Amino acid sequence: MNLKASFHTLGCRLNQAETALISNRFRAQGYDIVDERAASDVCVINSCTVTEGADSKCRQLVRQVLRRNPNTFVAVVGCYAQIGAEALKQIEGIDLIIGTQDKLRVLDFIDEPLKLPEPRLVRSRMTKDPFTIAANDLSAPTTRANLKIQDGCDFMCSFCVIPFARGRARSRAFWDIQREALQLINAGHQELVLTGVNIGTYSFEEKTFLDVVKMLLTIPALKRLRISSIEPTTIPYELIDLMADSDVLCPHLHIPVQSGDDAVLAAMKRLYTRSEFEAFIEHAQRRIPHALIATDMMIGFPNETEAAFQASCDLLMNAPLAYAHVFTFSERDGTAASKYANHVSSQKKKARSARLHELSEQKKRQFYERSVGQTLRVLTEEQEADGRWAGYTDNYVRMVLEDPRLSHNQLVHARVTQAQAAHVMGEMVTP
Ligand code: SF4
């Protein structure tokens, strides 16, 4: 009987991309991949450390896994394993802790999944070199695949621990991106999502991020190309032109602004002002009226006054933003902001977070309501228990639709009939 492996992913889309790579390797080695809650011989937890909350979520998850299945071989890999190894070692039952540099090679450190008396720690120096990713067996279900093109970050925003957890910026070899893209498309994926920590800074030999996008757009069988979160100062205007003129490059941008207040942005060591950010997204929305532009906002940064918080609320409400992912500032060891004075009380942080969430929901609802009556292209990704299909439109609106002609992994056109809180309803139309 084959050994079984299960996988948990915490955190960002890049982690999702990497978990897919790791699990494909387990499959190629003869493991059966089972649901994350099922009993398994090996359980890999791909961790996140972006906030204190992420750290504690990881520790809780490890304990939960071990409670459910004390004999499973537990490997914790990735960002929290890189900088929180000491805390993880205190949890009895972990067998393997692997930092960022070697996380994709987790299988190389498991001869037999036998519980170890002490966790083995693998944490090598992170390089700045370009990288490739070994070819994979791809027999997992298909629709949309994350394609990792970059890792690490040199920006050193004052609140962010990611440069410590992921290391310096480095890019994947251009030809290796093309190779994997072709492999993913041949395996049936209709959509590729470009992922990395700071993808706009992609740089390999003479190639830039824009070159990666242009190269992928030349692959005739690729139906959709999506860009995941991208830093404001790294988006070339030409990308917006490409997006406006292409049926393949999705009209969807996620651009983290973090704050609407210039003093807070400067203290965060972000590389732009509010008005520069606004000017850019207004240009993008003018050029691509149906684009969905979303953002990340952080509340409770040290010295965030009531007026500064209000500036973030105003920005969200008045700029062409469809919604914001709201994060609460948390002090991370080693970052510049952890030494800043005038921390915001947790009570205020809670209230501000709730307020910004509320405004974000309002904006999202408005965006969804504006889309009623529009005909959008949607990819059928999952079937709900009641038989209806759900998936995302080109501009990243979740749509639910019911039609007996539908099946998995179809790109169809549908008219939006109704807006709901978390998705829109649609009905299929013949294009
Ligand atoms: S750009 Fe700033 S927030 Fe994003 S990973 Fe780099 S340092 Fe962190």
Side-chain angles (χ1 to χ4, degrees):
M1 210 169 70
N2 290 345
L3 291 169
K4 294 189 174 78
S6 63
F7 297 85
H8 294 262
T9 308
L10 299 168
C12 62
R13 190 183 277 281
L14 179 54
N15 263 10
Q16 289 170 17
E18 290 166 337
T19 304
L21 293 165
I22 300 169
S23 74
N24 283 336
R25 284 185 195 169
F26 273 78
R27 188 181 291 108
Q29 286 294 312
Y31 277 81
D32 287 338
I33 309 302
V34 297
D35 184 78
E36 60 179 23
R37 292 184 66 85
S40 58
D41 300 287
V42 179
C43 172
V44 179
I45 298 176
N46 193 0
S47 65
C48 170
T49 188
V50 73
T51 58
E52 265 169 36
D55 292 356
S56 89
K57 203 164 164 189
C58 179
R59 293 191 301 268
Q60 268 172 27
L61 179 61
V62 171
R63 292 197 181 96
Q64 236 175 54
V65 165
L66 284 163
R67 249 195 325 269
R68 267 203 308 264
N69 191 4
N71 296 324
T72 193
F73 182 98
V74 175
V76 183
V77 307
C79 294
Y80 186 43
Q82 178 70 31
I83 60 173
E86 294 316 311
L88 284 168
K89 273 175 154 176
Q90 307 306 317
I91 306 176
E92 207 179 312
I94 296 183
D95 300 283
L96 194 53
I97 299 172
I98 305 184
T100 300
Q101 184 68 25
D102 302 294
K103 68 191 280 189
L104 298 186
R105 299 199 302 118
V106 53
L107 248 181
D108 297 352
F109 303 98
I110 308 174
D111 295 332
E112 272 187 85
L114 296 175
K115 296 292 293 170
L116 302 175
E118 293 265 307
R120 178 174 175 198
L121 178 61
V122 183
R123 208 171 30 171
S124 7
R125 231 186 103 251
M126 288 178 278
T127 69
K128 282 177 68 181
D129 301 333
F131 61 92
T132 58
I133 299 176
N136 250 316
D137 161 51
L138 290 172
S139 37
T142 51
T143 46
R144 171 197 308 151
N146 294 312
L147 179 58
K148 176 175 173 176
I149 64 163
Q150 188 274 343
D151 205 341
C153 182
D154 292 340
F155 278 18
M156 302 301 283
C157 299
S158 65
F159 56 83
C160 184
V161 75
I162 297 306
F164 306 102
R166 286 261 180 192
R168 307 299 298 268
R170 52 208 182 272
S171 297
R172 183 172 183 181
F174 192 75
W175 52 266
D176 198 42
I177 297 174
Q178 187 174 38
R179 180 200 55 72
E180 196 191 354
L182 288 169
Q183 193 190 13
L184 290 164
I185 296 164
N186 288 337
H189 290 94
Q190 311 238 35
E191 175 176 330
L192 299 182
V193 186
L194 299 184
T195 60
V197 174
N198 194 341
I199 55 176
T201 62
Y202 178 90
S203 168
F204 176 76
E205 296 174 347
E206 297 297 299
K207 305 290 190 197
T208 63
F209 176 67
L210 201 57
D211 293 321
V212 174
V213 172
K214 286 181 179 170
M215 174 269 286
L216 293 171
L217 290 178
T218 64
I219 302 176
L222 177 60
K223 297 290 187 297
R224 262 183 178 182
L225 179 63
R226 192 180 296 283
I227 292 167
S228 65
S229 183
I230 182 161
E231 279 296 307
T233 51
T234 64
I235 317 168
Y237 275 79
E238 200 185 333
L239 185 83
I240 305 301
D241 293 336
L242 273 181
M243 211 174 251
D245 299 335
S246 169
D247 291 335
V248 177
L249 187 57
C250 290
H252 169 211
L253 287 161
H254 191 100
I255 314 176
V257 65
Q258 306 300 2
S259 172
D261 179 79
D262 281 340
V264 172
L265 287 174
M268 286 176 164
K269 303 218 179 317
R270 302 290 286 172
L271 303 172
Y272 51 86
T273 59
R274 171 188 174 140
S275 56
E276 286 164 350
F277 173 82
E278 277 175 318
F280 183 82
I281 60 169
E282 277 160 14
H283 165 79
Q285 193 80 85
R286 254 196 318 276
R287 189 78 179 79
I288 321 168
H290 60 296
L292 180 151
I293 306 173
T295 193
D296 293 341
M297 283 184 163
M298 177 177 282
I299 58 92
F301 190 79
N303 255 329
E304 184 192 58
T305 58
E306 213 46 59
F309 170 65
Q310 196 48 50
S312 293
C313 297
D314 293 344
L315 178 65
L316 176 58
M317 292 316 281
N318 300 322
L321 288 166
Y323 59 84
H325 287 161
V326 180
F327 296 87
T328 301
F329 170 77
S330 86
E331 231 174 282
R332 310 303 288 140
D333 281 349
T335 61
S338 66
K339 298 180 196 82
Y340 290 179
N342 295 334
H343 280 250
V344 176
S345 71
S346 48
Q347 210 182 7
K348 270 195 188 149
K349 281 184 188 165
K350 249 195 187 149
R352 288 178 188 177
S353 169
R355 174 81 188 125
L356 209 53
H357 268 113
E358 199 182 290
L359 296 180
S360 172
E361 286 307 306
Q362 264 182 43
K363 284 292 301 253
K364 192 190 251 181
R365 184 74 192 224
Q366 287 167 9
F367 189 90
Y368 285 3
E369 273 162 9
R370 278 202 304 279
S371 70
V372 173
Q374 291 175 7
T375 296
L376 303 171
R377 195 170 65 148
V378 60
L379 179 63
T380 51
E381 293 173 55
E382 52 191 39
Q383 194 164 25
E384 300 187 336
D386 59 9
R388 297 183 307 175
W389 283 92
Y392 283 87
T393 62
D394 288 356
N395 62 352
Y396 210 59
V397 172
R398 188 173 166 84
M399 184 187 276
V400 174
L401 59 172
E402 191 174 4
D403 194 301
R405 292 170 292 175
L406 288 172
S407 59
H408 184 244
N409 200 22
Q410 271 182 297
L411 264 174
V412 297
H413 286 84
R415 201 171 54 81
V416 180
T417 53
Q418 197 189 22
Q420 300 197 350
H423 62 262
V424 298
M425 301 299 300
E427 66 186 12
M428 210 160 86
V429 296
T430 320

